[in-house]
Amino acid sequence: MANPVLFVIAHPDLGQSRANRHFAASAKSIEGVDVLDLYKVYPDMFVDGSHERHRIDGKSTIVLQFPIYWYAAPGLLKEWIDRTFSYGWAYGTNGNALKGKNLLLSIATGSEEKAYGPEGVHHHPLDEFLLPYKQTARFCGMNWLDPLVYYHARASEKDHLIAHGEKLKSRLSELVHAASKQEMSHGA
Amino acid sequence: MEHSFLLACFIFLSAAVIVVPFAKATGLGSVLGYLLAGIIIGPYGLGFVTDPETILHFSEFGVVMMLFLIGLELQVRELWSMRNKLFGLGLPQVLITALVLAIIGYLASMPWQSAVIMGLGLALSSTAIVLKIIEERGIMATNTGRSAFSVLLLQDIAVIPILAIIPLLALPELAGHAPTDDGHGPAAATEGGWQVAAKTALVFASMYLSGRYLLRPVMRFIAKSGVREIFTALSLLLVVAAALLMEWINVSAALGAFMVGMILADSEYRHELESDIEPFKGLLLGLFFISVGMSVEFSVLLNNPLLIASMVAGLALIKLIILWGLGTIFRFHIADRMLFAIILAQGGEFGFVLFQFATASGALLPEHADLLNVTVAISMVITPILILIYDRLLAPKMVRDTQTEREPDDISVRNRVIVLGYGRFGQIVTRLITAQGFEATLIDHDPEQIDLVKRFDTKVFFGDARRTDLLAAAGAHEAQILIIAIHNPNTVTEIAAMVKKHFPHITILARARDRNHAHELMGVGVTDFVRDTFHSGLQLGIKALVALGYEEHRAYRLAKTFARHDIKMLHEAYEIKDDEEAMIGHARTAKELLAQVMESDLVDLDPANATNWTSDKNPDDIERENKARSQE
Ligand SMILES: Cc1cc2nc3c(=O)[nH]c(=O)nc-3n(C[C@H](O)[C@H](O)[C@H](O)COP(=O)(O)O)c2cc1C
């Protein structure tokens, strides 16, 4: 059986990364999770949409792991969505390939949580910046799961980072588990 | 003998050189120029040349070559697509014109046999004049051009059966004047019908087979020898051989050459053949027009001025009316219809041949033949004049947009892309472009390469791309872009410079060997070039970085940055390329710069530098702090 979870990591320079690299490694250690390193697979940023759609077929969950860059995901993840979530597949006539799948965002930010408070430099809670992703999920009939956010990603305590990695792992395991359960009940 | 030959050459050439450019400049067109030159030096002019017959005979070969060239341009499937016009326009034109003229002749108390021959002979137009005019006006691809060509082609084909029936039309009172075989001999009379058929079938079959299978290896062998004039000799030999074969089976040599041309139309040597034959054709055709001018029998004209005048006028008028009518049925635009009618409203060189043969066969009285010959010659002379009138007086009245009138199904669309050099480099470029549905004309100079890619169903023409005429034959006048993918840098530069000069409208994309060659290309005005090993080197560089542990995307970015920097330096260096010292200095700074440039690209996105995002301070405060720090 194909792995039920697709974990997409979008970081332009994983070699220099602290948080995202750690989370990608965490994801790799979980059975049932496919990890897609976008900048590795598409170093020239030309995404092969149809190939990506095949990759998603049969998955029950898509996880997007990325650092917040200018209140959004790094460019290639946007390109990946643009090219992959096509008309007639993700939306529009017969476009229900994503329907019922889960979408989970796992995000790292540079700023502390309070910077995203009303008094903070960013003025809006992080949630508000994630609205486009939330609505994308909704538009395609996906289940929006509560995002996992790791604040202050470059300056946090080591223990804290590890703890967050564990949290991500258990979350992924649950998703894999739920998928196989559903598979079984379908099979019965 | 030697002396008189040179003298004759001198007279012909100077007549052409003096009169034709003058005629062309004054808007009379080159055909009329040649005809005038002929009249001037002919027996009734200055009397330099007295036996136009022999020259006419010799120069008729120009017509043969012209049809060979047209055959080369025409693939069988195009001929097939012309079938409606061949039989809808051409056949009725010949039959109706012949019938009307024959009736008139009969009413004018000609024997009916001669009247029929007159009708058939005069129904034929002048392939030489008409095609020359079509070529000069550049209307071969238009509806008018194609239609006129269809009519001419059918006429050429019609010559065969006409020649066959002439002996049957011998006049009883002239019977006994059994025709002697004079080259156009009435084979049908002396041989059985099946023999003729067998001979004809044999000739065409062997022509087709050798054109397909024998010629190719021979041409390849000769091409490989690299002796250019031998290829020219071969081209001429081909045309001459075709003409001879055709004469043997009593088919018009022109038609035969046309067919051989068509057999070779899909050969990879087509463009080379075209450009080899072209100059001979041009000269011989000019000679032909001159000799037509010379052979106007002014004595016959002077003895019957009114009769000839009315015959010429009648011929032109009848032809005009019939052609006009056909043009109407085929719904030509009025301006097309008029040009189509005027172009074809004359007698032709085949008329001379038919009348001569008919006289020899005892089917036509010599005095009739004289009258008809003069009529044909004069009608040929007035065609360019009629066209002049059309251009100056009639056409301006019929305003319209010529561009939008083109019939798409009728045009052999010339390729927009020409690729020179179909080696490893050219193939990649071409495959990318043709996968988009563009058609590219491919030219290479290596017969082995051509054979090799032929196995993959790719058609590459043989030719020396340094020749302007070859590129013209390959459609450089119509092409939009020219890709020079030849590996020899000197050849690339030479061609680029030549193309810039002769086909300035084309966008040149060139393969450069290295920096020096790139500078050479910039020197001749080429801006779109790629150094042939540059990008493949970079690609391998990316792989090398990845193998050294770099992330793919980072390696890719580094290579891109490197490439941008390098190209920028290439252009900078061009400005100082003649100053060696400055060049060395520039190379040194360029190297230092490179390190900086690559560094800075990485810094742009370096998360380690994103301290501003990590701090929870207000950006304004940080800015202030930074300033304070830098002032310390
Ligand atoms: C170009 C760029 C833009 C960034 N924009 C933001 C931002 O809008 N909000 C934020 O909290 N952090 C921002 N950051 C900080 C990154 O989110 C932070 O460096 C990253 O999440 C750290 O994860 P890593 O160690 O995996 O690279 C930005 C960083 C860069 C390089």
Side-chain angles (χ1 to χ4, degrees):
Chain A
M1 195 190 85
N3 289 336
V5 175
L6 176 64
F7 184 93
V8 181
I9 161 82
H11 194 297
D13 199 359
L14 266 187
Q16 304 292 314
S17 158
R18 176 177 189 251
N20 286 281
R21 186 169 53 172
H22 181 75
F23 301 147
S26 309
K28 268 193 196 118
S29 70
I30 305 295
E31 191 130 346
V33 177
D34 281 347
V35 176
L36 166 63
D37 181 345
L38 269 191
Y39 280 90
K40 182 189 175 96
V41 175
Y42 297 111
D44 56 1
M45 304 186 77
F46 278 97
V47 174
D48 180 347
S50 91
H51 187 78
E52 293 307 310
R53 286 187 284 279
H54 281 300
R55 202 196 289 282
I56 291 171
D57 281 337
K59 296 276 182 281
S60 67
T61 301
I62 299 174
V63 183
L64 302 179
Q65 171 72 54
F66 56 90
I68 286 279
Y69 280 7
W70 289 111
Y71 313 109
L76 184 53
L77 184 60
K78 178 69 163 62
E79 179 71 5
W80 182 79
I81 294 173
D82 296 352
R83 294 278 163 192
T84 309
F85 290 14
S86 59
Y87 177 86
W89 185 82
Y91 69 103
T93 321
N94 298 326
N96 40 28
L98 294 172
K99 200 169 259 166
K101 297 191 196 304
N102 304 311
L103 184 65
L104 171 66
L105 264 50
S106 174
I107 293 165
T109 77
S111 308
E112 286 177 278
E113 183 163 12
K114 64 176 190 222
Y116 285 95
E119 304 293 292
V121 286
H122 302 317
H123 292 291
H124 300 271
L126 189 62
D127 261 5
E128 287 186 15
F129 296 110
L130 301 183
L131 188 61
Y133 304 95
K134 191 171 182 177
Q135 176 54 27
T136 298
R138 190 165 172 185
F139 193 65
C140 300
M142 302 177 85
N143 308 319
W144 175 254
L145 306 182
D146 275 346
L148 278 171
V149 182
Y150 190 65
Y151 291 104
H152 218 206
R154 290 203 75 84
S156 60
E157 301 283 322
K158 180 92 188 177
D159 295 348
H160 199 248
L161 181 68
I162 291 170
H164 190 86
E166 291 306 315
K167 196 164 143 197
L168 174 64
K169 274 164 118 176
S170 61
R171 197 69 191 276
L172 291 173
S173 300
E174 276 168 37
L175 287 163
V176 171
H177 202 68
S180 53
K181 236 188 190 165
Q182 199 173 22
E183 177 89 358
M184 263 152 59
S185 70
H186 266 273
Chain B
M1 186 67 221
E2 178 101 324
H3 175 71
S4 70
F5 171 73
L6 283 182
L7 187 66
C9 266
F10 178 76
I11 293 170
F12 275 106
L13 293 175
S14 32
V17 168
I18 295 168
V19 183
V20 175
F22 182 72
K24 188 97 209 240
T26 50
L28 298 178
S30 66
V31 176
L32 198 54
Y34 280 121
L35 292 170
L36 280 177
I39 294 175
I40 293 173
I41 62 173
Y44 293 93
L46 301 176
F48 286 151
V49 182
T50 42
D51 57 340
E53 288 288 303
T54 38
I55 299 155
L56 188 66
H57 221 74
F58 170 65
S59 58
E60 254 170 14
F61 206 64
V63 183
V64 173
M65 287 181 161
M66 179 165 61
L67 273 145
F68 175 73
L69 289 177
I70 292 172
L72 270 183
E73 292 266 340
L74 201 77
Q75 315 230 346
V76 176
R77 79 185 134 86
E78 283 181 62
L79 187 66
W80 178 244
S81 74
M82 278 166 51
R83 63 191 183 282
N84 283 340
K85 289 196 168 144
L86 276 175
F87 295 105
L89 276 176
L91 196 59
Q93 187 274 339
V94 173
L95 292 180
I96 299 173
T97 314
L99 188 69
V100 172
L101 290 171
I103 291 174
I104 294 176
Y106 185 67
L107 293 180
S109 65
M110 258 179 142
W112 69 268
Q113 293 93 332
S114 303
V116 169
I117 288 171
M118 176 183 86
L120 290 169
L122 292 182
L124 308 178
S125 313
S126 168
T127 309
I129 289 188
V130 179
L131 286 184
K132 179 80 185 163
I133 291 171
I134 289 179
E135 182 187 287
E136 211 164 78
R137 300 175 72 96
I139 54 172
M140 192 48 161
T142 66
N143 186 26
T144 317
R146 277 292 151 119
S147 307
F149 177 68
S150 310
V151 173
L152 291 171
L153 195 58
L154 190 111
Q155 291 177 351
D156 285 355
I157 298 170
V159 171
I160 305 166
I162 296 177
L163 279 173
I165 61 167
I166 283 181
L168 308 177
L169 293 173
L171 298 171
E173 62 267 34
L174 292 180
H177 279 260
T180 47
D181 198 354
D182 65 340
H184 303 292
T190 49
E191 295 173 25
W194 68 270
Q195 266 174 303
V196 177
K199 234 161 92 177
T200 312
L202 183 78
V203 166
F204 279 109
S206 59
M207 230 163 58
Y208 181 79
L209 290 177
S210 53
R212 279 272 123 138
Y213 303 104
L214 183 70
L215 223 48
R216 222 164 238 163
V218 171
M219 287 201 270
R220 179 177 349 121
F221 179 69
I222 290 178
K224 239 158 100 180
S225 79
V227 189
R228 198 190 262 180
E229 66 272 17
I230 293 302
F231 204 93
T232 311
L234 175 74
S235 311
L236 287 173
L237 180 66
L238 271 177
V239 183
V240 174
L244 274 178
L245 266 179
M246 290 299 124
E247 253 170 35
W248 185 54
I249 56 166
N250 295 299
V251 171
S252 101
L255 189 66
F258 173 73
M259 288 181 173
V260 175
M262 224 163 57
I263 291 172
L264 293 172
D266 64 347
S267 142
E268 53 269 38
Y269 296 95
R270 173 174 128 197
H271 294 310
E272 181 78 16
L273 285 170
E274 271 177 282
S275 49
D276 276 343
I277 303 259
E278 185 68 45
F280 292 99
K281 174 211 98 174
L283 271 180
L284 279 179
L285 214 56
L287 201 57
F288 171 76
F289 293 132
I290 291 182
S291 40
V292 170
M294 290 192 308
S295 56
V296 176
E297 280 289 339
F298 284 92
S299 66
V300 179
L301 176 62
L302 291 180
N303 290 337
N304 322 273
L306 277 181
L307 178 60
I308 301 268
S310 47
M311 278 173 76
V312 172
L315 174 64
L317 209 64
I318 288 167
K319 285 196 141 183
L320 272 175
I321 293 171
I322 291 169
L323 290 162
W324 178 273
L326 289 170
T328 314
I329 295 173
F330 268 72
R331 303 209 185 155
F332 292 0
H333 183 279
I334 181 150
D336 281 348
R337 209 183 307 164
M338 194 168 284
L339 185 61
F340 170 72
I342 290 176
I343 279 187
L344 290 166
Q346 77 287 97
E349 53 279 3
F350 282 125
F352 297 140
V353 176
L354 288 188
F355 298 141
Q356 186 197 353
F357 179 52
T359 322
S361 308
L364 192 64
L365 292 168
E367 53 268 35
H368 285 159
D370 280 347
L371 283 175
L372 291 174
N373 280 334
V374 176
T375 307
V376 169
I378 295 181
S379 74
M380 285 162 85
V381 176
I382 63 166
T383 300
I385 301 176
L386 285 179
I387 288 186
L388 217 61
I389 296 176
Y390 166 84
D391 281 340
R392 297 282 157 84
L393 302 177
L394 302 175
K397 295 221 175 86
M398 297 175 284
V399 199
R400 66 180 195 129
D401 184 3
T402 33
Q403 288 304 311
T404 54
E405 276 289 316
R406 305 180 83 167
E407 252 177 56
D409 61 346
D410 219 15
I411 306 166
S412 59
V413 184
R414 290 299 200 109
N415 296 342
R416 292 159 69 186
V417 182
I418 299 177
V419 180
L420 308 179
Y422 197 68
R424 292 162 305 149
F425 193 90
Q427 283 172 33
I428 296 172
V429 184
T430 308
R431 276 164 55 203
L432 174 63
I433 298 173
T434 50
Q436 301 306 307
F438 290 100
E439 295 221 353
T441 301
L442 314 174
I443 296 173
D444 200 291
H445 198 45
D446 179 358
E448 271 166 28
Q449 181 68 19
I450 293 174
D451 276 359
L452 183 77
V453 296
K454 195 158 78 196
R455 280 190 253 140
F456 302 97
D457 276 343
T458 306
K459 166 70 156 240
V460 179
F461 291 104
F462 169 82
D464 182 346
R466 285 173 298 189
R467 294 174 53 172
T468 317
D469 52 355
L470 182 103
L471 289 186
H477 287 292
E478 295 89 356
Q480 188 179 345
I481 68 170
L482 176 84
I483 293 162
I484 313 177
I486 294 167
H487 78 165
N488 181 329
N490 294 332
T491 313
V492 175
T493 315
E494 184 186 335
I495 294 173
M498 182 266 280
V499 171
K500 275 272 170 204
K501 184 158 152 230
H502 293 283
F503 311 101
H505 69 281
I506 295 192
T507 304
I508 299 176
L509 300 113
R511 167 183 180 177
R513 183 183 184 79
D514 50 23
R515 303 178 84 82
N516 287 335
H517 186 223
H519 283 167
E520 259 176 58
L521 287 171
M522 291 161 83
V524 299
V526 175
T527 48
D528 294 316
F529 55 79
V530 168
R531 282 166 284 164
D532 55 9
T533 51
F534 186 64
H535 290 285
S536 38
L538 279 177
Q539 290 301 321
L540 202 64
I542 294 174
K543 288 195 187 300
L545 286 177
V546 172
L548 288 168
Y550 281 58
E551 285 84 33
E552 274 80 357
H553 181 62
R554 170 179 259 216
Y556 200 93
R557 286 198 68 88
L558 287 171
K560 267 280 169 211
T561 314
F562 175 89
R564 272 188 210 129
H565 171 78
D566 191 79
I567 289 168
K568 193 169 152 222
M569 291 302 118
L570 179 73
H571 285 243
E572 278 183 22
Y574 176 68
E575 305 298 328
I576 52 166
K577 70 175 180 338
D578 298 322
D579 182 345
E580 198 179 329
E581 220 154 277
M583 278 287 264
I584 294 173
H586 181 263
R588 211 168 281 141
T589 36
K591 207 166 164 188
E592 285 161 18
L593 262 174
L594 176 62
Q596 281 176 32
V597 170
M598 295 179 82
E599 185 75 23
S600 76
D601 180 73
L602 290 183
V603 170
D604 284 347
L605 267 188
D606 191 347
N609 272 13
T611 41
N612 286 6
W613 296 107
T614 302
S615 155
D616 61 348
K617 285 179 187 147
N618 193 306
D620 296 342
D621 300 338
I622 296 172
E623 183 71 4
R624 230 169 285 130
E625 272 173 32
N626 283 347
K627 261 204 194 121
R629 210 175 302 135
S630 65
Q631 271 160 14
E632 271 167 22

